[in-house]
Amino acid sequence: MEEKKYIEKRKYSRYAVEGVTGNLLFATNVRIINISTSGVAIESTRRVDINREYILRFEYKGNKVSLKCAVMWSFLYGMEKNEKGETIPIYRAGMQISEEQNEKINTLMKFIEEHRLERLERRLSGIRFKIVADKIAELSCPQNYRIKKLSIGGMLIESDTGLEKETRYPMEIHLDGEIIRVIGRVVHCTQVTLEHHIRYDIGIEFIEITEKDRNILNNFLKNL
């Protein structure tokens, strides 16, 4: 791994790095279209990737239910106008609920019984039901990024997805077998086109980090 110090007027010295990556946890609201104890169909304004694992969260009688799901199919369903008059894409996706969540099945069955509108079809894995149209859930997934520059107080990352300035996200940084976790604030986001492929350079400020993780990061930077 080759690194060199990046000289700039900042509160903390920032270093250019190679081979350092991390994950950002995206969360977006989705609408549940239909559901069974083994699978769920959703509608979203953000595309989800086939064969990728997501966490689906929704509230039931004051309790938050989290289900680990794998995307089996996904496609662009249509386009519509939002409140600002902007045209946005609408995606639909089908996800298989992990079989490792037996302790949540009873709660899920109660949720289905309370919110179902009609039975859609019988499948080998069970009966799927259509859900009331306004039932909103949250879908989250780790998004990988590459770290280009790193300091004790922030970093510059490269990502396939742009982020809105001033938004905050839980983030992970992978450092020589260690994983540190921070809350990052988006300071700036610049679109970069590379051979017809769009990527984003994003400046992140660390606004929350534990003392333990700060020490791990500090030791990593000292050894550059």
Side-chain angles (χ1 to χ4, degrees), residues 152-165:
I152 197 68
M155 59 185 173
L156 178 67
I157 66 173
E158 182 182 76
S159 173
D160 289 328
T161 304
L163 302 177
E164 187 177 347
K165 187 177 178 180

Side-chain angles (χ1 to χ4, degrees), residues 55 77 121 123 131 191 220-221 223:
I55 302 296
Y77 179 70
E121 56 184 314
R123 301 188 175 198
I131 298 296
Q191 181 176 302
F220 175 84
L221 295 174
N223 290 326

Side-chain angles (χ1 to χ4, degrees), residues 100-221:
E100 301 173 356
Q101 303 170 107
N102 293 331
E103 75 281 359
K104 299 177 182 178
I105 294 302
N106 287 336
T107 300
L108 181 57
M109 290 177 66
K110 292 176 182 177
F111 170 84
I112 292 172
E113 185 63 30
E114 186 169 311
H115 292 87
R116 70 178 187 175
L117 290 178
E118 58 184 275
R119 187 172 72 178
L120 293 180
E121 56 184 314
R122 180 180 291 275
R123 301 188 175 198
L124 292 177
S125 56
I127 300 173
R128 182 158 290 194
F129 295 93
K130 186 176 180 181
I131 298 296
V132 291
D134 62 346
K135 191 59 190 176
I136 300 297
E138 182 182 85
L139 192 69
S140 60
C141 170
Q143 176 73 45
N144 183 260
Y145 55 80
R146 181 173 74 89
I147 300 174
K148 301 173 73 173
K149 297 171 185 175
L150 182 63
S151 80
I152 197 68
M155 59 185 173
L156 178 67
I157 66 173
E158 182 182 76
S159 173
D160 289 328
T161 304
L163 302 177
E164 187 177 347
K165 187 177 178 180
E166 298 300 330
T167 51
R168 302 182 178 193
Y169 296 95
M171 308 180 80
E172 294 180 346
I173 301 172
H174 303 158
L175 299 175
D176 295 338
E178 299 272 11
I179 298 178
I180 69 172
R181 294 172 174 84
V182 305
I183 301 297
R185 178 178 71 89
V186 179
V187 179
H188 64 82
C189 180
T190 304
Q191 181 176 302
V192 180
T193 302
L194 301 171
E195 298 181 352
H196 308 292
H197 181 65
I198 295 176
R199 297 183 70 84
Y200 298 87
D201 282 348
I202 305 169
I204 300 293
E205 177 192 9
F206 301 153
I207 58 174
E208 290 185 27
I209 181 171
T210 65
E211 191 65 29
K212 177 183 177 182
D213 284 347
R214 183 182 293 275
N215 290 335
I216 294 173
L217 176 57
N218 192 44
N219 289 334
F220 175 84
L221 295 174

